[in-house]
Amino acid sequence: MVVLVPLMSQLPRVPDLEAQREAMKKLGFLVGKWAGEARLLRGPTESVELLQTEEAQYKLDGLIVVIEGVGRTKSGGQPLLQALGIVSYDDESRTYHLRAFNDGRFLETEMKLLENRKGMTWGFALGEIRTNSVLQINERGEWTELAEISIGSQPPKKLLELTVRPQK
């Protein structure tokens, strides 16, 4: 009983939902349906061409953005790349967080907006493997994304190159 009194006096911090929604509005440039092409590294020297779709939506009354990407082989239309990302904003630390799901795994990282406010960057580290990704909307209104991967001390290689356009 003595232990409960100090715990009850420390209520958890209440998030500032309006600050979170305001920060998430800065990702509005992503929202919508997109389609185009991608090139994915599939081995040390092999890459594959994909027909790529991306769909980004606000959820939970603007508190998160959900992004789903599907890359299908040009030859047979089979899904080869399926990824789901959930972006949120922590008003206390003033940071964006990205939780990404792919191939039965998930990773979580900090995400930063680019200064032009029409793009973002993030990366993951898993043991000796590191990735760095940059997504931006170019001057033609296309969503472009470049992801690089490096393993150990090897120089970075292009993991993914993507260009998609807004769909009506």
Side-chain angles (χ1 to χ4, degrees):
M1 192 128 112
V2 175
V3 175
L4 292 179
V5 174
L7 291 177
M8 294 175 80
S9 66
Q10 296 192 6
L11 294 174
R13 179 186 166 277
V14 176
D16 184 343
L17 298 181
E18 285 313 306
Q20 289 183 18
R21 283 188 186 96
E22 278 304 307
M24 293 304 292
K25 284 180 185 177
K26 295 176 182 175
L27 299 179
F29 62 88
L30 290 174
V31 173
K33 292 184 179 187
W34 304 75
E37 298 176 343
R39 177 187 300 265
L40 178 67
L41 184 66
R42 292 297 291 174
T45 58
E46 178 193 350
S47 62
V48 62
E49 302 275 332
L50 303 172
L51 297 173
Q52 184 74 26
T53 59
E54 299 283 344
E55 184 171 358
Q57 301 176 323
Y58 283 111
K59 296 287 186 176
L60 301 179
D61 196 25
L63 291 175
I64 64 171
V65 171
V66 176
I67 305 165
E68 184 176 14
V70 177
R72 297 180 181 278
T73 58
K74 285 187 174 183
S75 55
Q78 284 81 15
L80 186 64
L81 172 65
Q82 297 182 80
L84 182 79
I86 301 171
V87 180
S88 61
Y89 183 78
D90 181 340
D91 63 280
E92 187 172 20
S93 65
R94 296 182 179 177
T95 55
Y96 291 91
H97 295 275
L98 169 63
R99 183 171 243 197
F101 298 84
N102 176 290
D103 292 334
R105 296 181 284 275
F106 75 89
L107 294 168
E108 195 161 337
T109 190
E110 187 175 314
M111 188 202 79
K112 295 183 179 176
L113 288 180
L114 297 178
E115 285 187 27
N116 68 5
R117 305 234 181 222
K118 289 281 188 172
M120 54 200 208
T121 183
W122 67 94
F124 296 105
L126 188 60
E128 294 248 315
I129 301 170
R130 291 178 313 285
T131 67
N132 184 51
S133 299
V134 177
L135 180 160
Q136 50 192 337
I137 306 300
N138 67 19
E139 64 282 349
R140 293 184 299 277
E142 298 168 324
W143 164 336
T144 64
E145 194 172 327
L146 173 62
E148 294 182 321
I149 186 169
S150 55
I151 301 171
S153 59
Q154 295 178 14
K157 293 181 181 178
K158 288 181 184 176
L159 175 62
L160 174 75
E161 287 182 280
L162 176 149
T163 302
V164 290
R165 289 155 214 78
Q167 301 299 292
K168 308 246 178 202

